[in-house]
Amino acid sequence: MPAYIHQINTAVPPTSYQQDFTRDLMKANISDDRRIQSLIHRIYSRSGIAKRHSVIRDFNLNGHPALFFDEAGNALPRAGTKARNEAYIREARPLYCKLAEDTIANAPDFDKEDITHVITVSCTGFFAPGPDFHIVKELGLHPSTQRYHLGFMGCYAAFPALKMARAFCAADPSSVVLVVCLELCTLHLQLREEADFIISGSVFSDGAGSALVSAIAPGPESRALMIKQLGSDLTPDGEHDMAWTIGDTGFDMTLSSYIPGIIKANIPPVIGRQLARAGLTGEDIGLWAVHPGGRAILDKIQQSMQLSDDQIASSRHILREYGNMSSATILFVLKNMLENNPPCQTILAMAFGPGLTIETGIFEVLYAPDSAQTSRALNRANGSARL
């Protein structure tokens, strides 16, 4: 029995920063060394990012305490992990609940009484009772709603959440599962000279994405994604090139410059295995929802899989307008694809995280009567990928 993503919603904090502004702020505060400043300038200018959203309001406090900078843009003493996590609790809870409420309200075939499971996802903060509890309580969901939280998995975590949702729906076809991924990555900004911290500081941002999953078939006027397959692979190397650890001044993100090359070398066999499992070839895939972990990652995958610009356009758009919001980002990409492409497309989605882990999903865009022949024709017209 297939499962469907009936609704995808996204949300970002109201404050955003242009990438050029952030670049110059980092240059002024990380180092006086011209070599380091040149490195910062190059990394930020080549990021493919125009702006990013953040819960950091150091330049427009409105009663909130400053975390990183004074009004003149000078760095404050390093904020401790407790202060950063307190900011996470303050900012995350209302954003989780508002997005969850909007997702249910925007789903034409469901209401609050239908929700049977809530799955929340985050790797950028902790509190208990957790966001799953607060969504159930503040939205007035039934107290017997089953609740789960996936923590500290990184950028690929939306896929395990979708696997859980699909499993619940397979076990009970009446299940309606609300998945909410929320990451406040900028709370862990590190003003340090090491290249890993400069790279992570140049790409990460804040945002949240949600998905409403059920085995109940979508209505004839509903646009949805059929979950056709979800898979997971580990690369033979890269374990030490991407990692999250908890430090005294926030979470330390290791994000080495070798990651794009590792992904490029390993992605063809991973994709080949997933397509073979689904009985598909590269020509059957019309759109590629690639987690925009950074511009170099998108470049390497586009080259490796011989993708057209149109096939990967949504990933580049999300990177440019929002940056890397960790686990929430792939939902932004899928939402953009769902809203801006014709029906009957087949989407291959992927995200990457510590391990180095590669998670994949194959989805079909549904809207009105489905047609396998139309799907294949539209996919090939949009451009083919060769393995």
Side-chain angles (χ1 to χ4, degrees), residues 103-333:
T103 303
I104 299 170
N106 292 332
D109 299 324
F110 301 95
D111 55 33
K112 292 180 181 180
E113 288 71 29
D114 298 313
I115 305 300
T116 58
H117 301 71
V118 171
I119 303 171
T120 54
V121 178
S122 188
C123 67
T124 49
F126 303 94
F127 58 93
D132 51 314
F133 166 87
H134 290 289
I135 288 172
V136 170
K137 182 179 179 181
E138 295 188 23
L139 270 64
L141 304 184
H142 197 279
S144 65
T145 301
Q146 297 186 46
R147 300 180 285 112
Y148 304 86
H149 182 74
L150 297 181
F152 228 64
M153 298 185 77
C155 296
Y156 66 82
F159 286 93
L162 291 175
K163 289 176 186 174
M164 288 179 66
R166 184 179 62 168
F168 294 146
C169 294
D172 181 357
S174 67
S175 296
V176 180
V177 186
L178 176 63
V179 175
V180 186
C181 303
L182 181 147
E183 306 289 5
L184 304 183
C185 306
T186 64
L187 290 176
H188 302 288
L189 177 67
Q190 304 292 336
L191 301 178
R192 294 166 61 176
E193 296 182 0
E194 296 93 326
D196 283 358
F197 292 109
I198 295 173
I199 293 171
S200 62
S202 73
V203 299
F204 281 110
S205 55
D206 300 348
S210 62
L212 195 64
V213 182
S214 176
I216 300 168
E221 299 303 318
S222 300
R223 179 164 290 208
L225 290 176
M226 178 192 291
I227 304 174
K228 301 189 74 173
Q229 181 172 289
L230 296 169
S232 182
D233 281 89
L234 285 175
T235 63
D237 47 15
E239 178 180 353
H240 302 293
D241 292 282
M242 186 185 296
W244 257 141
T245 55
I246 299 177
D248 292 334
T249 56
F251 299 170
D252 294 339
M253 178 64 178
T254 299
L255 195 66
S256 85
S257 59
Y258 296 104
I259 291 172
I262 294 170
I263 292 174
K264 180 182 180 182
N266 287 278
I267 206 67
V270 168
I271 297 304
R273 287 192 293 271
Q274 297 304 326
L275 290 176
R277 281 183 55 209
L280 301 172
T281 69
E283 291 185 347
D284 296 306
I285 306 300
L287 299 168
W288 292 66
V290 180
H291 167 67
R295 180 194 56 79
I297 289 176
L298 296 182
D299 289 347
K300 294 292 187 183
I301 290 178
Q302 183 170 11
Q303 295 164 9
S304 181
M305 303 309 299
Q306 301 180 43
L307 306 180
S308 70
D309 290 343
D310 287 343
Q311 287 179 293
I312 202 171
S314 289
S315 294
R316 292 201 185 275
H317 170 77
I318 297 304
L319 179 67
R320 182 174 63 253
E321 297 300 320
Y322 299 98
N324 180 352
M325 299 164 285
S326 192
S327 68
T329 320
I330 196 64
L331 295 172
F332 278 71
V333 177

Side-chain angles (χ1 to χ4, degrees), residues 219-222 343-344 365-372 374:
E221 299 303 318
S222 300
C344 303
V365 180
L366 300 180
Y367 183 64
D370 188 20
S371 167
T374 304

